[in-house]
Amino acid sequence: MSNHQNEITPLIHIVNHYQCELGEGPVWDAKRNSIIWLDIIKGNIHEYNITNSVFNTTSVHQMIGSFALCEDGHFVAALQQGLYFINKFTGEQKLIAQPEIHLPQNRFNDGKCDPAGRFWAGTMSTKDEEGVGNVYMLDKKEQLSIMIEQVTISNGLAWSLDHKTLYYIDTPTYAIVAYDYDLVSGQINNKRVVINFEKAEGYPDGMTIDTEGMLWIAHWGGWQVSRWDPNTGQKLSHFKLPVEKVTSCTFGGENYTDLYITSAKIGLTDQELQQQPLAGSLFVIPFCGFKGIAPIEFQGVGF
Ligand code: CA
């Protein structure tokens, strides 16, 4: 690892005072000027509107691993027991698929739309079993395919700017892997490791990509988000956070210059909570010095 990392100390804010048990899955909604994020454990979708400061919570009544915006403004979501459309305004759920109904100990985790507007989401065991998770791809005709098998804690997904590479994180491996990705079919192959985490810096969790093609990775147990060059495997810089369990990040704001970062307080002792009283908060680093890209919407009809 490089000895020439730039340590940056920017202004970090909390978006509001709400603290999740397991905050995750931030998505910028440009149409509403909102940041939307999840509390996986409580099964809540939170939305904070930057224009009018209105904070809104929708319960899905089961755990929720991830979601994406649909073209029609509603959500496609990976809930504990399957993939659903969720009506943004009423909370109504419409089941799409339950591919792991035979694996009741599994739940869905991180997910994101690929550059063609298909929703990818992976699963994990809630009982710490190894290799029982899978990554699925949902296309606009609501056909579901298994894309990656035998993963343990399926997490960050990002596609390269030229749409030729998928980056993926199975958290316990401490590695970010890349696959050749076919935009037309969604098929992936040629898996290789492109980044290795040092264990002392925590586990790699959620991930996003910036306009220079560099990866931003949240460190679960590592008090930071970091920026990496997937072409060299080198860590370029990082932002320190006042919380240990940093879960995911995404760019938002008018020009995608603001970095939003989710965190968790689950599993912290009372003493640890005293030391990190903002655990579970949604953080933002306005004008962080880098720019992201707009999230891809699901190219299917939800409701
Ligand atoms: Ca995660």
Side-chain angles (χ1 to χ4, degrees), residues 24 40 109-110 154-155 205-206 247:
E24 264 285 1
I40 291 182
N109 200 37
D110 208 338
S154 189
N155 257 315
D205 194 340
T247 54

Side-chain angles (χ1 to χ4, degrees), residues 62-163:
Q62 56 177 299
M63 284 196 274
I64 176 167
S66 52
F67 80 101
L69 300 167
C70 299
E71 283 185 310
D72 62 7
H74 298 298
F75 304 134
V76 59
L79 305 189
Q80 178 171 1
Q81 298 164 340
L83 300 174
Y84 291 77
F85 291 117
I86 297 175
N87 186 299
K88 152 107 186 96
F89 302 105
T90 66
E92 181 192 347
Q93 297 177 7
K94 183 172 146 191
L95 178 65
I96 303 166
Q98 290 180 306
E100 297 192 348
I101 197 78
H102 59 294
L103 300 171
Q105 80 284 8
N106 274 15
R107 70 163 172 88
F108 270 98
N109 200 37
D110 208 338
K112 192 175 283 178
C113 282
D114 73 7
R118 294 170 292 234
F119 183 61
W120 294 52
T123 60
M124 59 178 275
S125 171
T126 58
K127 309 282 187 199
D128 295 327
E129 297 158 282
E130 286 184 22
V132 298
N134 301 283
V135 178
Y136 298 88
M137 180 182 78
L138 180 74
D139 70 21
K140 65 181 181 182
K141 294 176 180 167
E142 299 178 27
Q143 297 298 307
L144 196 66
S145 310
I146 290 191
M147 307 308 290
I148 307 173
E149 293 181 289
Q150 295 182 334
V151 298
T152 298
I153 302 180
S154 189
N155 257 315
L157 293 155
W159 283 265
S160 63
L161 302 179
D162 65 5
H163 302 164

Side-chain angles (χ1 to χ4, degrees), residues 124-230:
M124 59 178 275
S125 171
T126 58
K127 309 282 187 199
D128 295 327
E129 297 158 282
E130 286 184 22
V132 298
N134 301 283
V135 178
Y136 298 88
M137 180 182 78
L138 180 74
D139 70 21
K140 65 181 181 182
K141 294 176 180 167
E142 299 178 27
Q143 297 298 307
L144 196 66
S145 310
I146 290 191
M147 307 308 290
I148 307 173
E149 293 181 289
Q150 295 182 334
V151 298
T152 298
I153 302 180
S154 189
N155 257 315
L157 293 155
W159 283 265
S160 63
L161 302 179
D162 65 5
H163 302 164
K164 290 181 176 172
T165 305
L166 163 66
Y167 301 108
Y168 173 68
I169 294 171
D170 183 6
T171 288
T173 65
Y174 289 97
I176 289 74
V177 297
Y179 295 84
D180 295 341
Y181 162 78
D182 184 82
L183 178 66
V184 174
S185 69
Q187 291 304 310
I188 54 173
N189 58 65
N190 188 25
K191 177 186 176 183
R192 67 270 184 191
V193 173
V194 291
I195 293 168
N196 283 299
F197 258 43
E198 291 190 0
K199 291 185 179 178
E201 296 205 315
Y203 288 98
D205 194 340
M207 175 165 60
T208 192
I209 194 164
D210 67 24
T211 54
E212 296 173 39
M214 301 295 119
L215 297 175
W216 288 80
I217 302 167
H219 292 234
W220 175 268
W223 305 84
Q224 63 183 295
V225 291
S226 55
R227 182 176 191 248
W228 298 76
D229 185 342

Side-chain angles (χ1 to χ4, degrees), residues 246-268:
V246 185
T247 54
S248 190
C249 57
T250 198
F251 290 92
E254 189 177 356
N255 294 306
Y256 295 94
T257 55
D258 308 331
L259 186 64
Y260 286 90
I261 303 154
T262 51
S263 69
K265 62 179 179 181
I266 189 171
L268 296 180

